Amino acid sequence: MKNLLFLLPAIIFTACNYSPDTKKVKKITGQMEDPVKQAPNNEEVEIIIHADDNMRFDKTEIGVAQGQHVKVILKHVGKATVDAMGHNLVILASGTDFNAFAHAAIDAEDNNYIPKAMEHAVIAKTGMIGGGETTVMEFVAPPTGSYDFLCSFPGHYLYMRGKLVVHR
């Protein structure tokens, strides 16, 4: 009986977050496929990242080569509108205070949740999109290292975050 009581919250959480549409969307969008097309340093690499109404990126780490031309395609596979569940992808420069940026973004609605005083700390960013929309950003990979990325819509950074890992 004690074991059942221990499992009850997990069962309820799983049941409340289950959506038959989620499996359908994942199958249609091909999230199980490797989204990175391997290319030599001088060629473009294309990365597809899916975001959803559950405030999740399907990738939390992406790897590229230093100096490589990178094309990131962000697809919002949810249904919520941009004002209710907007998503973007922002890559921060090395040394940027992640939490300070995320907290400042809350008050930057007029600038797509990119704090004007911290724009210099952004390597690349996408536009803000809603359910069913797609946006693209392109940039040249920075020097070798690890760089934070996040969705800067208020509160999303808690769950929608990851690392861009740049190798030689």
Side-chain angles (χ1 to χ4, degrees), residues 82-140:
V82 68
D83 57 333
M85 187 61 65
H87 297 314
N88 66 356
L89 194 141
V90 181
I91 301 173
L92 301 177
S94 181
T96 303
D97 183 329
F98 181 90
N99 288 320
F101 183 92
H103 289 124
I106 293 168
D107 296 323
E109 180 179 8
D110 63 329
N111 197 34
N112 284 316
Y113 299 104
I114 304 295
K116 289 180 181 177
M118 298 182 83
E119 284 181 319
H120 67 280
V122 175
I123 292 173
K125 65 182 188 262
T126 67
M128 193 66 63
I129 58 173
E133 296 179 321
T134 298
T135 186
V136 177
M137 74 173 159
E138 296 185 49
F139 61 96
V140 174

Side-chain angles (χ1 to χ4, degrees), residues 28-159:
I28 291 170
T29 60
Q31 285 185 350
M32 300 307 289
E33 297 171 12
D34 183 8
V36 178
K37 296 178 182 176
Q38 297 299 326
N41 287 1
N42 61 347
E43 291 186 25
E44 180 177 277
V45 63
E46 184 177 283
I47 301 167
I48 300 171
I49 298 179
H50 297 94
D52 61 28
D53 288 340
N54 293 317
M55 292 192 299
R56 301 278 185 232
F57 287 133
D58 69 339
K59 306 285 177 282
T60 56
E61 185 173 300
I62 51 179
V64 298
Q66 178 180 334
Q68 191 168 38
H69 184 259
V70 181
K71 180 178 182 179
V72 176
I73 301 168
L74 178 64
K75 295 183 177 187
H76 190 321
V77 296
K79 296 179 181 177
T81 60
V82 68
D83 57 333
M85 187 61 65
H87 297 314
N88 66 356
L89 194 141
V90 181
I91 301 173
L92 301 177
S94 181
T96 303
D97 183 329
F98 181 90
N99 288 320
F101 183 92
H103 289 124
I106 293 168
D107 296 323
E109 180 179 8
D110 63 329
N111 197 34
N112 284 316
Y113 299 104
I114 304 295
K116 289 180 181 177
M118 298 182 83
E119 284 181 319
H120 67 280
V122 175
I123 292 173
K125 65 182 188 262
T126 67
M128 193 66 63
I129 58 173
E133 296 179 321
T134 298
T135 186
V136 177
M137 74 173 159
E138 296 185 49
F139 61 96
V140 174
T144 302
S146 181
Y147 301 85
D148 291 313
F149 69 79
L150 72 149
C151 172
S152 65
F153 193 89
H156 289 197
Y157 74 95
L158 294 168
Y159 308 102

Side-chain angles (χ1 to χ4, degrees), residues 1-10:
M1 185 65 167
K2 287 181 183 178
N3 288 341
L4 288 176
L5 290 176
F6 177 74
L7 291 174
L8 189 57

